Amino acid sequence: MKTKWFIGTAVFLTVPFILQGCGFGNNEATNMDEPPEETEEIEWQEFDEMEPGDETEANEEEEAEGSEEQKEADEEEGNGETAERELYLIDEEGMVVPHTFELPVQEGTLKQSLEYLVQDGPLTSMIPNGFQAVLPPGTEVDVNLKEDGTAIADFSPEFRDYDPKNEQAILQAVTWTLTQFENVDQVKFQINGYEQDTMPAENTPIGDAYSRENGINLDSGSVADMTNSDSVTVYFLSQTGDSSYYVPVTRRVESFDEAETLDVTIEELIKGPSSASSLHGVIREGASLEDTPSIDGDTASLFFNEGLLTEQEGTAISDEALHAITLSATEVAGVEKVELDVEGAEEVIQVSGESLNGPVSRPASVNANHS
């Protein structure tokens, strides 16, 4: 289950560019010269140009007011307080990957999260090697959260200037970044206030709104009939340099009953990534479920054979396997915790030597940034 935080409705961003009509799919842009009547126009603040000779006076005013402005800025940004946020970046293989960063606490958390997805933006110095932000440089963003859980993400025209090969990655990264928050269920996309039914470059369908149900890092698996299939999301490992990180993958499988979702999810995790993938599985070959998984309240119960234990002469579960199991299981609706049992083991031991006493919660930080 995704980690979320409650927030208020984001405040509109005021930025200095000219509203432009835009049309995509089969519509020509020339048909969009005037906004539709039902579209609420955003008021963009205009900045006056500085006249010659005003610079000295402006600098003097800035020096006099600097300390007070800094004090106000500190108050607005939570007096230096930070909070963990998941931002979805693109790795060298084009995979969309969550990374946890400490961001300043401030109003407009949804808008702030998207601003940190802009290339050459505030995240630049913190991005791990081998990753990149997903939104084109110079992109301005605004987010409006509706009571029904729909976040309307409005982008400036620079949004269109992305590499077409990254189109689905951008769609997924924006959606999964915003839907980490408890009160966001789906995302609508706009450019300059115009709602988008498809993405601009390759016309990837967005529909009325996009959500986590649309998936991430899509893997069609061995399914031939996509109309008679369902999907589950599991986590595998990838690596850049000496650093390993978890990658969510949504895999299509043959249709199953909703009650079987947890069982199918764990089975797909055990199968590992597809042979054509650069990802790595974390479940030892020979490991399997000994019984059908069950869900009691918010806790999933999983019973594996002894093949799951890989460390310390076969008596402990690796951190990678434990995290992948927990991340994957908590992607199932309603699951917040995981209780693990292993055939023949009185207790399951972690490689640290600690016992898994009771259910395990989803890791608080996924691919935490330590820089």
Side-chain angles (χ1 to χ4, degrees), residues 321-370:
L322 178 60
H323 289 161
I325 290 171
T326 307
L327 287 169
S328 301
T330 53
E331 287 293 340
V332 176
V335 176
E336 300 286 349
K337 304 173 185 176
V338 178
E339 187 169 24
L340 281 173
D341 287 302
V342 176
E343 180 185 25
E346 293 185 3
E347 59 180 356
V348 180
I349 305 297
Q350 303 178 70
V351 293
S352 62
E354 297 181 6
S355 174
L356 290 181
N357 292 322
V360 180
S361 298
R362 183 184 179 93
S365 302
V366 182
N367 301 326
N369 176 61
H370 300 293

Side-chain angles (χ1 to χ4, degrees), residues 215-330:
I216 186 169
N217 299 316
L218 305 178
D219 177 4
S220 60
S222 58
V223 174
D225 182 8
M226 299 298 289
T227 60
N228 189 32
S229 66
D230 294 308
S231 63
V232 294
T233 297
V234 294
Y235 284 73
F236 300 124
L237 271 181
S238 189
Q239 186 166 352
T240 178
D242 296 329
S243 301
S244 297
Y245 53 91
Y246 296 92
V247 180
V249 173
T250 299
R251 175 174 290 171
R252 301 298 299 185
V253 295
E254 293 184 3
S255 293
F256 53 83
D257 294 333
E258 184 177 352
E260 300 175 298
T261 304
L262 179 60
D263 191 4
V264 175
T265 297
I266 301 303
E267 291 291 353
E268 292 302 317
L269 176 64
I270 292 172
K271 288 180 183 178
S274 64
S275 58
S277 173
S278 60
L279 302 177
H280 310 287
V282 296
I283 306 300
R284 181 185 176 188
E285 185 176 354
S288 64
L289 288 170
E290 284 295 298
D291 199 358
T292 302
S294 62
I295 300 175
D296 184 9
D298 64 355
T299 303
S301 295
L302 304 175
F303 184 35
F304 284 86
N305 68 354
E306 68 280 1
L308 179 68
L309 305 179
T310 63
E311 304 290 341
Q312 299 177 357
E313 299 181 355
T315 62
I317 182 173
S318 69
D319 290 339
E320 292 81 6
L322 178 60
H323 289 161
I325 290 171
T326 307
L327 287 169
S328 301
T330 53

Side-chain angles (χ1 to χ4, degrees), residues 62-82:
E62 288 176 0
E63 291 176 0
E65 299 176 2
S67 59
E68 184 64 27
E69 290 177 352
Q70 183 61 51
K71 179 181 178 181
E72 293 177 357
D74 290 342
E75 292 175 350
E76 290 177 359
E77 295 194 4
N79 292 319
E81 293 182 5
T82 61

Side-chain angles (χ1 to χ4, degrees), residues 140-246:
E140 301 284 355
V141 301
D142 188 24
V143 183
N144 183 16
L145 181 61
K146 299 298 186 181
E147 292 184 359
D148 66 354
T150 300
I152 301 177
D154 192 11
F155 301 93
S156 65
E158 289 83 358
F159 176 73
R160 302 188 187 100
D161 299 331
Y162 58 80
D163 187 333
K165 71 179 182 182
N166 292 330
E167 182 165 275
Q168 289 194 31
I170 292 171
L171 185 57
Q172 295 167 13
V174 169
T175 299
W176 283 64
T177 294
L178 291 180
T179 55
Q180 73 182 277
F181 300 103
E182 186 68 36
N183 49 357
V184 180
D185 297 320
Q186 59 183 4
V187 180
K188 288 180 178 287
F189 285 71
Q190 293 184 350
I191 299 178
N192 260 5
Y194 293 106
E195 188 168 327
Q196 307 298 301
D197 296 325
T198 63
M199 290 289 283
E202 297 293 324
N203 294 321
T204 299
I206 299 174
D208 184 54
Y210 215 77
S211 72
R212 291 197 173 199
E213 292 184 1
N214 293 99
I216 186 169
N217 299 316
L218 305 178
D219 177 4
S220 60
S222 58
V223 174
D225 182 8
M226 299 298 289
T227 60
N228 189 32
S229 66
D230 294 308
S231 63
V232 294
T233 297
V234 294
Y235 284 73
F236 300 124
L237 271 181
S238 189
Q239 186 166 352
T240 178
D242 296 329
S243 301
S244 297
Y245 53 91
Y246 296 92

Side-chain angles (χ1 to χ4, degrees), residues 42-61:
I42 300 173
E43 295 182 0
W44 306 102
Q45 180 176 343
E46 295 183 357
F47 294 85
D48 295 330
E49 295 182 359
M50 181 175 291
E51 295 294 333
D54 289 347
E55 182 176 359
T56 301
E57 181 180 350
N59 288 339
E60 291 175 352
E61 292 177 354

